[in-house]
Amino acid sequence: MNVLAWLGKAWLSRRRDGLFRRAKWKELAILCGKALQADPRDAKAVNDLAVALFWLKDSEGALEACRLALRLSPRAAVDLQYSMGGPRYLRYLYVYGALLFEKGRLESARLSLEPLKKMGPHFHEKFLILSRIHEKRGDLAGAAAEVEEMQET
């Protein structure tokens, strides 16, 4: 990558950060599209796109972005991703789990959300969804355990 391309990518990344912090989801989605045109393997842009589309209520678009994020950054690498970039660029796993839960795909939702438990209070909503998964399965003790774990973190 030449210097000009690198500078352009860095500028887009900083701009996405600002939009993300201000919850400007529509603008963020547009900017992520531009970033992905320049580099279709930009995992950070895919993560931001999944989150933006989720908040824009574009479930199918968000699911598609989550699937791409999983291809670029497999679940097995969650610990490494967290140590390198913190929790922000793992939000696609929360979005994926929440959307799968809404679709009634409980086990797939659980598999997406479970790795996020290692991150303590980040994505605290994961515990609520995991609790609801237990509840839907008739496992009230498991549901209560998820809520207790949330309270302890």
Side-chain angles (χ1 to χ4, degrees):
M1 176 182 297
N2 68 33
V3 174
L4 191 56
W6 182 85
L7 287 172
K9 186 174 180 175
W11 179 83
L12 282 175
S13 180
R14 281 194 309 279
R15 181 106 193 272
R16 285 195 328 264
D17 288 346
L19 293 171
F20 193 97
R21 281 192 302 276
R22 293 189 319 271
K24 301 283 188 177
W25 305 123
K26 186 173 182 177
E27 294 92 337
L28 180 60
I30 292 167
L31 199 57
C32 288
K34 291 177 182 178
L36 291 169
Q37 285 176 342
D39 180 4
R41 299 189 51 80
D42 185 340
K44 291 179 178 182
V46 175
N47 174 80
D48 287 352
L49 179 61
V51 173
L53 294 174
F54 176 74
W55 289 112
L56 289 169
K57 307 290 187 217
D58 180 355
S59 297
E60 291 309 312
L63 277 171
E64 186 178 325
C66 288
R67 290 183 189 113
L68 177 56
L70 283 167
R71 285 194 300 275
L72 295 174
S73 306
R75 251 184 238 137
V78 166
D79 290 336
L80 177 63
Q81 292 172 32
Y82 182 71
S83 68
M84 291 176 62
R88 174 171 168 202
Y89 293 110
L90 291 168
R91 282 191 170 94
Y92 71 92
L93 285 175
Y94 169 74
V95 167
Y96 196 49
L99 291 171
L100 292 171
F101 177 78
E102 286 176 12
K103 290 183 168 291
R105 296 181 51 202
L106 302 182
E107 184 59 16
S108 295
R110 186 190 69 75
L111 290 172
S112 184
L113 295 170
E114 199 70 35
L116 297 175
K117 290 173 74 172
K118 298 176 193 173
M119 292 169 209
H122 300 290
F123 318 113
H124 65 278
E125 303 93 344
K126 66 188 171 255
F127 292 110
L128 298 175
I129 296 172
L130 288 166
S131 177
R132 292 184 64 204
I133 290 170
H134 286 289
E135 181 184 352
K136 285 184 176 282
R137 291 179 170 170
D139 177 11
L140 298 182
E146 294 292 352
V147 172
E148 286 174 19
E149 187 174 348
M150 178 180 68
Q151 292 171 337
E152 291 171 3
T153 58

